[in-house]
Amino acid sequence: MSKTTSDKSVVQLLVQQCIKKGIREVVISPGSRNAPLIIAFNAIENIECFTIVDERSAAFVALGMAQQLRRPVAIICTSGTAALNYAPAIAEAYYQEIPLVVLTADRPKEWVGQADGQTIDQSNIFSNYIKHSIDLPVKIAHDDDAWYANRSISEALNNTMHPVPAPVHINIPLREPLYGRTAAEKRVSRPIEQLIPEQTLSADQIQELATKWNKAESVMIVAGVLAPCEKMSQVLSHLGQLSNTVFLTETTTNQFCDNFITCIDRQIFSIDEDEAALFKPSLLISLGGQIVSKKIKEFLRNNPPKEHWHISQSDKVIDTFQRLSLSVKMDAYEFFSQVASHLKVETGRFKDIWQKRSLKNQALHEQFIEQTKWSDLKALNHIFTHLPEKSQLQLANSTPVRYAQLFQDDIKVHSFANRGTSGIDGSVSTAVGASINSENPTILITGDLSFMYDSNGLWNSYLKKNFKVIVINNGGGGIFRFIPGPSDSPELEQFFEAKHQYKAEHLAYTYGLDYFSASSLEELEDTYNNFVNNNTKASLLEVFTPGDINGKILRNYFKNFSNNR
């Protein structure tokens, strides 16, 4: 260590374990009870410490970092309600399978419930949304205390990545004084490593699965959220050549191939009840995280396959389509790569039927976009078709990620969204975190409510020159003008849509972003290139669209496919 560290021996053990387990980034929110943690982590040269004041934002920033790094990132807060502010990001990380190490400073247990300041019961506080939770001893007074701390910390950190990535919680009760320092380590940590055996299907298992696949008249692979992976793209592209197999993807699937069926909602809206049998699979195979499209879920529930295999290492039984027959507990790439060479389908019409419908709908899509008025749809068409090469796209909930599915054919960059819990609460912060370790431009597309809800995500010193925010400002929650129910409710504007006249301009100036705006297609075309190519500092483009007609235009967009069956 190049600096003096905390004199709390339990903190020293924790920090040493984190280093040996590969923690390299720590997001810290200021406080006093967490002072020993701040002192100890800041003393390590090969750990980078970030300061984010707002704990809710800090946790989402760390989530965005871990999303891109694909390894654990730690977050540190003080005691009391500070920890509760972590909850939204922890829940998102849990359901999105992103590794976070949550370190919460605490009062000693004897002071909980004794009317002491900034003290709440923090033991197992995230119980429903955490993979593993421990409380460390207040001090190491005996060798058994050190043994317990070593073992507990190792177990927690090992659980961040295996069998699936997830957040873990380490609660650290600390007594005053909190600011003591020492130049020497008092104890040496002893991390417990894990040996993870390779996953291999037996010859009999491969033969059985391949035989069913080969004999099936119609096989549909549906993928939700996936991390970018070139080798996964290669094996899935091979499967997409099979005549009895179609592969349906979404923007957040991050897999690209001409054989894949994209823009799922567009295809489903075009399928009449009388022809559903032509498009339904006899064998459904699913993988990845949450699926954005509600229509594909409805279609497969109403037109169930004979068999459904789900590929996941999660210990949960995931039966999204209510027809699960086989849960395969292994890595999806390993599964497909081991089975692929045994698939030999030479005849079949299933892929051809889907591809012909997809081509027809692509033409209808382009025709409708060309003729439509200025709206969310028109503005996003220009944005999605002019994304800079090698940029990464961050999509906020709730309408931006849905609109992106309509332009999937045009989006050729990796796309990410908080679809674990699908909340609007951390979109800006997640995008900031994702941009920190990326040399390529990060472009966040967000609605006005989502942006303003998480505007504290801009309250930090880590906004890079190539970080760009596009705010679609339609004066409220536009999705509620499209969803049946709220759109016809007299409470729409006040309670569902939360209609407003606020602008993002002053927030941009407050946080030091260059500001651009557009209120028409002509203005967007004139402004967009300047915004994208602006490299002086982080920038924000606010696009104003008419909120009262966006819902009607989107409904007409989908009617365009059902009317042209």
Side-chain angles (χ1 to χ4, degrees), residues 18-19 26 31 113 219 282 452 478 481 501:
C18 286
I19 296 168
V26 178
V219 181
S282 58
M452 293 171 188
R481 288 188 177 269
Q501 296 181 338

Side-chain angles (χ1 to χ4, degrees), residues 516-536:
F516 302 81
S517 67
S519 299
S520 67
L521 180 60
E522 293 74 23
E523 289 183 6
L524 180 60
E525 291 173 340
D526 289 342
T527 305
Y528 186 78
N529 284 342
N530 292 333
F531 162 74
V532 167
N533 295 319
N534 178 49
N535 288 316
T536 57

Side-chain angles (χ1 to χ4, degrees), residues 103-227:
L103 305 177
T104 56
D106 197 3
R107 256 59 172 182
K109 192 173 184 64
E110 62 267 22
W111 283 104
V112 176
Q114 298 304 305
D116 199 29
Q118 209 168 327
T119 306
I120 64 174
D121 187 352
Q122 295 180 200
S123 295
N124 211 24
I125 197 172
F126 309 113
S127 59
N128 291 331
Y129 315 108
I130 211 83
K131 188 176 178 184
H132 192 85
S133 183
I134 62 169
D135 288 85
L136 293 183
V138 175
K139 61 183 290 189
I140 294 177
H142 188 277
D143 286 346
D144 283 357
D145 295 331
W147 166 71
Y148 171 75
N150 266 302
R151 174 171 56 81
S152 300
I153 295 167
S154 277
E155 185 177 8
L157 296 180
N158 286 340
N159 270 290
T160 60
M161 293 301 292
H162 302 289
V164 295
V168 301
H169 175 212
I170 301 177
N171 192 50
I172 308 107
L174 296 163
R175 283 200 182 93
E176 297 182 11
L178 302 170
Y179 294 86
R181 297 172 182 261
T182 182
E185 300 177 20
K186 294 183 178 180
R187 296 179 184 271
V188 177
S189 68
R190 182 179 53 83
I192 301 170
E193 303 298 335
Q194 284 193 127
L195 176 63
I196 310 298
E198 291 186 5
Q199 297 178 317
T200 305
L201 294 168
S202 70
D204 288 344
Q205 289 172 328
I206 292 174
Q207 187 60 48
E208 180 182 359
L209 294 168
T211 298
K212 288 184 177 182
W213 193 323
N214 288 330
K215 289 183 177 180
E217 292 183 2
S218 49
V219 181
M220 178 185 290
I221 305 173
V222 178
V225 174
L226 289 175

Side-chain angles (χ1 to χ4, degrees), residues 227-247:
C229 179
E230 182 60 33
K231 64 179 184 178
M232 175 69 91
S233 294
Q234 292 173 358
V235 70
L236 293 176
S237 297
H238 171 73
L239 299 177
Q241 298 173 13
L242 301 172
S243 59
N244 73 337
T245 302
V246 295
F247 186 21

